[in-house]
Amino acid sequence: DFNSDVSNYDEVVIGSPIWMDSICAPINSVLDKVDLTNKKVKFVFYSAGGEANRATEFVNKNYKSDIIILKEPKTNKNELKKIK
């Protein structure tokens, strides 16, 4: 359980591992419960493999958002430079 009220925030950052090219199921559950209407949203995906194409398509279809994809951030520390 968590507080789904984000009304006091101007920007919301959502991080998710990529599972089979998609946002992981627990984060999808959070997205179902949080109203991000008129919020600046940034998604940070971390992937051990591909480009997160389905996740990116989902975000582009449903949110006005920036997307950052980190590939193997645990072993490739340069990927962390993508986060400002």
Side-chain angles (χ1 to χ4, degrees), residues 6-14 36 38-44 64-66 68 84:
V6 295
S7 62
N8 291 323
Y9 300 99
D10 296 324
E11 181 175 23
V12 178
V13 178
I14 299 170
L36 297 173
N38 298 320
K39 296 292 177 191
K40 181 177 180 184
V41 182
K42 182 177 287 183
F43 284 83
V44 179
K64 292 182 178 179
S65 173
D66 293 330
I68 298 170
K84 296 178 175 124

Side-chain angles (χ1 to χ4, degrees), residues 12-84:
V12 178
V13 178
I14 299 170
S16 176
I18 296 300
W19 294 351
M20 297 186 63
D21 207 38
S22 298
I23 297 171
C24 70
I27 297 301
N28 279 324
S29 295
V30 169
L31 292 173
D32 288 341
K33 295 177 182 175
V34 176
D35 181 8
L36 297 173
T37 306
N38 298 320
K39 296 292 177 191
K40 181 177 180 184
V41 182
K42 182 177 287 183
F43 284 83
V44 179
F45 296 142
Y46 20 103
S47 177
E51 296 290 328
N53 292 323
R54 281 193 288 187
T56 300
E57 288 173 15
F58 171 80
V59 169
N60 288 333
K61 179 180 176 184
N62 294 289
Y63 303 96
K64 292 182 178 179
S65 173
D66 293 330
I67 302 171
I68 298 170
I69 300 173
L70 305 176
K71 295 181 186 175
E72 294 281 352
K74 283 180 118 178
T75 57
N76 187 358
K77 301 299 182 192
N78 286 331
E79 285 290 291
L80 298 176
K81 293 179 183 177
K82 294 178 181 177
I83 300 174
K84 296 178 175 124

